[in-house]
């Protein structure tokens, strides 16, 4: 859980994930990490660990306050890699996983 500003002030889950299955049969998972900590995440499908090669595309930064600007357009960048399960989900990140 992480604290929030505004709304009711109640903490929210730090890591949230939503999965989708494409019409092509591929699986897509979008993970957000709203905390300052990197976490290890094991991806499961129907209660079983996914053993396929995972493509992981992420944007992350150890500071939740950084942003790309006209003067510094590459401060926060996408990274793409392949990974086995489990995967590492960086701090203050949005991570897209497909297999």
């Amino acid at each position: 859980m992480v604290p929030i500003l505004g709304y009711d002030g109640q903490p929210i889950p730090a890591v949230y994930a939503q999965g989708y299955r494409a019409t092509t049969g591929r699986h897509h998972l979008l993970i957000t990490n709203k905390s300052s900590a990197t976490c290890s995440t094991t991806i499961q499908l129907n209660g079983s660990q996914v053993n396929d090669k995972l493509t992981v595309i992420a944007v992350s930064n150890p500071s939740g306050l950084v942003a790309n600007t006209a003067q510094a357009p590459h401060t926060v960048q996408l990274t793409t890699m392949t990974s086995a399960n489990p995967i590492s989900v960086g701090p203050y990140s949005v991570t897209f996983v497909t297999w």
Side-chain angles (χ1 to χ4, degrees):
M1 303 297 281
V2 292
I4 64 169
L5 299 174
Y7 300 106
D8 61 5
Q10 297 297 310
I12 58 175
V15 177
Y16 178 79
Q18 179 70 48
Y20 306 88
R21 184 162 187 193
T23 56
T24 61
R26 291 186 57 81
H27 295 88
H28 303 285
L29 181 64
L30 186 64
I31 305 167
T32 58
N33 181 1
K34 297 174 278 303
S35 78
S36 61
T38 298
C39 64
S40 177
T41 303
T42 300
I43 298 172
Q44 295 184 344
L45 179 63
N46 298 324
S48 298
Q49 181 171 318
V50 172
N51 292 317
D52 296 346
K53 179 176 75 168
L54 306 171
T55 300
V56 180
I57 302 170
V59 61
S60 175
N61 194 285
S63 169
L65 302 176
V66 299
N68 290 344
T69 65
Q71 295 76 24
H74 303 293
T75 303
V76 182
Q77 296 185 22
L78 287 175
T79 59
T80 302
M81 60 184 241
T82 57
S83 178
N85 223 345
I87 65 167
S88 179
V89 177
Y92 302 113
S93 66
V94 176
T95 302
F96 175 72
V97 184
T98 188
W99 68 95

